[in-house]
């Protein structure tokens, strides 16, 4: 199947983010803070030599550069959603010891890293006799009192993906990558068109808006894993935006880039849930995307040859936010917003 010509279309995420930013009530962006953040982020990224190599340096990310790495990345990003904890000490002051945790080789892994498991065959997920719900519940068992959130939804995502990849892509996501023919935009479109559990869209101000957090991070993780080569080569990778979750908006707020209404600030500080699809949630996510675009624009304005895009900025901000979480450095700042959703 020939790849699509990506020159005439985009993911629609940036257009949606701009619309949300221009119409938001409860979330605004400080252009001055984005300029300051651009300077400090660029300096820090240069000091750390931050690049796609940084992604591969994590202990749990794959070190091989072959089709098995693509299948592993697909599985992880298929299930990469809603790991915020009711007992996160950075937000609640409660003990870390009860958080959903998976112990591996002497280390307790929480959040996204607790997900990195070696079951990567879609035909296996599609076989409910060999891969029963009971077995999957055992796979996702916790080493603490807190269970993994949305377990039934994660199992449903596995079943859906197993069926679609078996029926349409000869049992492997690698064939979906090949059909995209080096276009990140085409791959994102293929993912959301074929797998409803990735179709991260909402209604806002009478308009359908696209956010596509997991579809975009799936493409970006492949790009980073393969260091922009082989399966990770995408000629239009810079059309991918940041990945609007609950952790990056938190650090953007701490940097002053995002500003919240008093009502929203109180709601988040009180650890109250914001329903998926609520206008406040859409504004948090859309303005986060547009804020990172502003930061990127400022960096490239000052350093036209900088090797930076929205993906690397997101990776950097997420890593920084997690480090602050581990050191409890954000304990006196705003918590992450609380939305249970399969989309992030």
């Amino acid at each position: 199947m020939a790849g699509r010509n990506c020159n005439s279309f985009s993911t629609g995420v940036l257009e949606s983010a701009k619309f949300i930013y221009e119409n938001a009530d409860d979330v605004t962006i400080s252009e001055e803070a984005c300029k300051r953040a651009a300077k400090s982020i660029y300096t820090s990224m240069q000091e750390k030599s931050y690049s796609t190599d940084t992604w591969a340096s994590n202990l749990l990310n794959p070190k091989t550069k072959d089709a098995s790495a693509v299948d592993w990345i697909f599985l992880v990003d298929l299930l990469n959603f809603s790991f915020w904890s009711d007992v996160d000490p950075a937000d609640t002051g409660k003990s870390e010891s009860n958080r959903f945790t998976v112990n591996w080789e002497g280390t307790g892994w929480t959040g996204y890293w607790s997900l990195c498991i070696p079951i990567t065959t879609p035909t296996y997920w599609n076989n409910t006799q060999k891969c029963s719900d009971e077995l999957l519940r055992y796979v996702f068992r916790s080493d603490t009192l807190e269970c993994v959130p949305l377990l039934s939804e994660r199992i449903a995502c596995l079943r859906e993906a197993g069926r679609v990849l078996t029926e349409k892509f000869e049992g492997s996501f690698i064939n979906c990558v090949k059909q995209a023919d080096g276009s990140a935009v085409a791959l994102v479109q293929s993912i959301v068109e074929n797998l409803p559990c990735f179709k991260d869209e909402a209604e806002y101000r009478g308009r359908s808006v696209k956010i596509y957090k997991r579809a975009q991070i799936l493409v970006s993780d492949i790009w980073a894993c393969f260091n922009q080569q082989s399966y990770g080569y995408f000629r239009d990778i810079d059309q991918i935006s940041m990945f609007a979750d609950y952790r990056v908006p938190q650090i953007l707020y701490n940097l002053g880039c995002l500003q919240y209404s008093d009502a929203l600030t109180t709601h988040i500080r009180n650890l109250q849930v914001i329903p998926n699809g609520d206008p406040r949630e859409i504004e948090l996510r859309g303005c986060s995307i547009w804020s990172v675009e502003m930061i990127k624009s400022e960096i490239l304005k000052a350093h036209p040859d900088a090797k930076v895009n929205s993906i690397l900025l997101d990776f950097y901000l997420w890593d920084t936010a997690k480090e602050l979480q581990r050191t409890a450095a954000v304990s006196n700042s705003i918590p992450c917003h609380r939305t249970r959703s399969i989309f992030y």
Side-chain angles (χ1 to χ4, degrees), residues 87-119:
V87 294
D88 188 337
D91 291 348
T92 66
K94 297 180 181 178
S95 170
E96 175 82 10
S97 61
N98 287 329
R99 282 196 70 186
F100 170 69
T101 301
V102 174
N103 289 309
W104 183 69
E105 295 195 349
T107 300
W109 300 93
T110 64
Y112 165 80
W113 298 117
S114 66
L115 181 63
C116 300
I117 57 175
I119 302 176

Side-chain angles (χ1 to χ4, degrees), residues 171-277:
S172 176
F173 183 68
I174 198 72
N175 294 315
C176 190
V177 175
K178 290 177 179 177
Q179 287 184 12
D181 194 25
S183 169
V185 171
L187 185 52
V188 168
Q189 295 285 15
S190 179
I191 293 165
V192 299
E193 287 171 8
N194 287 288
L195 293 159
C197 67
F198 281 91
K199 199 166 186 178
D200 183 5
E201 299 179 358
E203 287 294 320
Y204 180 75
R205 307 286 189 203
R207 173 171 161 175
S208 177
V209 292
K210 302 172 174 65
I211 300 178
Y212 296 162
K213 183 265 183 179
R214 288 196 296 118
Q216 290 197 114
I217 201 171
L218 171 53
V219 174
S220 301
D221 280 346
I222 295 171
W223 173 76
C225 176
F226 289 87
N227 205 15
Q228 311 169 55
Q229 304 297 318
S230 180
Y231 295 124
Y233 169 74
F234 298 105
R235 59 185 174 273
D236 54 353
I237 194 66
D238 288 345
Q239 292 198 46
I240 300 299
S241 78
M242 66 80 75
F243 325 119
D245 63 357
Y246 49 83
R247 191 61 68 189
V248 175
Q250 180 189 34
I251 194 166
L252 288 170
Y253 178 92
N254 293 335
L255 289 168
C257 299
L258 294 185
Q259 299 176 343
Y260 303 161
S261 68
D262 290 344
L264 179 58
T265 300
T266 299
H267 192 95
I268 293 174
R269 287 195 184 280
N270 289 339
L271 306 182
Q272 294 177 281
V273 170
I274 302 175
N276 182 229

Side-chain angles (χ1 to χ4, degrees), residues 156 189 199 246 291 305 342-343:
Q189 295 285 15
K199 199 166 186 178
Y246 49 83
S291 173
D305 296 326
I342 68 167
F343 295 123

Side-chain angles (χ1 to χ4, degrees), residues 100 102 114 117 119 134-142:
F100 170 69
V102 174
S114 66
I117 57 175
I119 302 176
E134 182 180 2
L135 174 63
L136 289 171
R137 282 192 291 270
Y138 178 77
V139 168
F140 289 107
R141 70 194 183 281
S142 177

Side-chain angles (χ1 to χ4, degrees), residues 17-27 204-205 207 283:
K18 185 173 185 289
F19 175 77
I20 294 167
Y21 159 64
E22 290 174 343
N23 291 276
D25 285 333
D26 285 286
V27 184
Y204 180 75
R205 307 286 189 203
R207 173 171 161 175
E283 290 177 11

